[in-house]
């Protein structure tokens, strides 16, 4: 444990000041590019340094990685609890505290609103208006599990995006040319080039039709196209399928890809 903690502390080094920071700042973009390429050992300490220096985009992304198992790779999974907390969270309490608590901006605020159990459908619509499709579906799923009484009526409004309509009990799957399919189409082209349509259907079933769940964790930081084309985006999709309860009703090539996790 001590050895792993010393390794993480050594990688963290001095906090990077967030002067001129933000989603388009070169230091953040470099760290994000490393993470998308699957290089957690370089990317996560870099993001942590930026978060410590005050970069709100780094704080938001680290918090989302910390709370989403599908975004966590083998390197992060190999750290012991103490080292992981030191890397992914800010100091405070026995288990550290999420960077989400102090990240600023409308997306971070919407996430904090969702974590409040009194949240209503407004948080779903807030994510959708911000272009955060994946977060909007996650929020709708969360409110559905909480048996929110206002969700169905709110999602039935005519101006609600099509991908959220199923939560009103009146929606169908988004059309095939919807940009939300990009991650799935890339994965199916990679792993099942001869059975892409069967693969597509199987993944959609595994995600219960909520294909936006495969999208970028934070579209303001990672453009959907960059996420779809990345090693991390593809690995996250496979991990999402593996933890969805999918029973393997689909092409063997997809099962082979999942076995490689």
């Amino acid at each position: 444990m001590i050895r792993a903690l010393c390794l993480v502390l050594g990688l963290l080094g001095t906090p990077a000041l967030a002067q001129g920071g933000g989603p388009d700042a070169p230091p953040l973009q470099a760290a994000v590019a490393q993470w998308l390429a699957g290089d957690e050992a370089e990317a996560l300490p870099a993001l942590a340094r930026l978060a410590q220096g005050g970069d709100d985009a780094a704080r938001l992304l680290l918090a989302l990685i910390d709370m989403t198992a599908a975004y966590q790779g083998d390197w992060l999974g190999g750290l012991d609890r103490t080292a992981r907390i030191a890397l992914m969270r800010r100091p405070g309490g026995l288990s550290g505290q999420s960077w989400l608590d102090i990240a600023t901006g409308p997306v971070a605020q919407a996430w904090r609103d969702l974590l409040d159990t009194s949240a209503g459908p407004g948080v779903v619509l807030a994510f959708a208006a911000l272009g955060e499709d994946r977060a909007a579906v996650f929020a709708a799923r969360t409110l559905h599990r909480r048996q929110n009484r206002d969700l169905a009526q709110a999602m039935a409004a005519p101006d609600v995006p099509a991908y959220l309509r199923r939560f009103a009990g009146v929606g169908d799957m988004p059309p095939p040319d919807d940009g939300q399919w990009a991650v799935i189409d890339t994965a199916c082209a990679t792993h099942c080039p001869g059975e892409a349509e069967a693969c597509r259907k199987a993944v959609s079933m595994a995600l219960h039709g909520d294909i936006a769940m495969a999208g970028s964790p934070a579209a303001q930081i990672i453009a959907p196209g960059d996420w779809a084309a990345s090693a991390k985006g593809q690995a996250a999709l496979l991990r999402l399928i593996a933890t969805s309860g999918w029973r393997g009703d689909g092409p063997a090539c997809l099962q082979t890809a999942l076995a490689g996790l």
Side-chain angles (χ1 to χ4, degrees):
M1 178 178 72
I2 295 177
R3 181 177 181 181
L5 179 59
C6 289
L7 172 62
V8 167
L9 293 177
L11 289 171
L12 288 176
T14 303
L17 296 180
Q19 297 175 350
D24 298 323
L28 179 73
Q29 286 297 305
V32 169
Q34 289 174 320
W35 186 65
L36 290 177
D39 189 355
E40 290 185 322
E42 292 293 332
L44 295 181
L47 287 171
R49 290 192 296 270
L50 289 168
Q52 292 166 1
D55 190 304
D56 284 308
R59 289 174 172 179
L60 175 60
L61 184 55
L62 270 182
L64 293 176
I65 295 170
D66 188 39
M67 64 193 284
T68 310
Y71 300 154
Q72 300 165 14
D74 293 338
W75 183 83
L76 179 58
L79 296 179
D80 64 45
R81 181 177 182 274
T82 302
R84 179 187 174 115
I85 289 172
L87 176 66
M88 300 299 293
R89 301 178 185 177
R90 63 190 182 94
L94 295 176
S95 301
Q97 298 184 30
S98 173
W99 284 111
L100 185 62
D101 296 341
I102 60 172
T104 63
V107 176
Q109 183 59 57
W111 275 107
R112 285 193 292 272
D113 292 343
L114 177 62
L115 294 178
D116 184 338
T117 56
S118 66
V123 70
V124 180
L125 301 177
F127 278 130
L130 291 165
E132 298 291 347
D133 296 354
R134 186 241 172 220
V137 170
F138 183 90
R141 283 183 163 192
T142 300
L143 265 60
H144 181 72
R145 286 196 300 271
R146 292 175 184 168
Q147 299 182 338
N148 183 278
R149 296 180 179 181
D150 301 321
L151 179 64
Q153 183 176 354
M155 295 303 101
D159 57 344
V160 169
Y163 68 92
L164 293 170
R165 298 277 287 173
R166 89 162 182 87
F167 294 97
V170 297
D172 295 320
M173 193 182 307
D177 60 349
D178 195 301
Q180 294 172 346
W181 282 100
V183 180
I184 297 171
D185 285 345
T186 301
C188 289
T190 300
H191 300 292
C192 298
E195 300 179 84
E197 187 58 32
C199 170
R200 211 170 190 253
K201 290 179 179 179
V203 174
S204 179
M205 289 180 61
L207 300 183
H208 306 287
D210 293 330
I211 60 172
M213 284 298 293
S216 171
Q220 68 163 231
I221 302 171
I222 303 170
D226 293 339
W227 176 253
S230 71
K232 178 59 70 175
Q234 297 302 301
L237 173 61
L238 293 177
R239 290 179 185 274
L240 193 61
I241 296 169
T243 57
S244 68
W246 183 62
R247 297 182 179 181
D249 297 328
C253 48
L254 182 58
Q255 298 179 41
T256 300
L258 291 171
L261 287 175

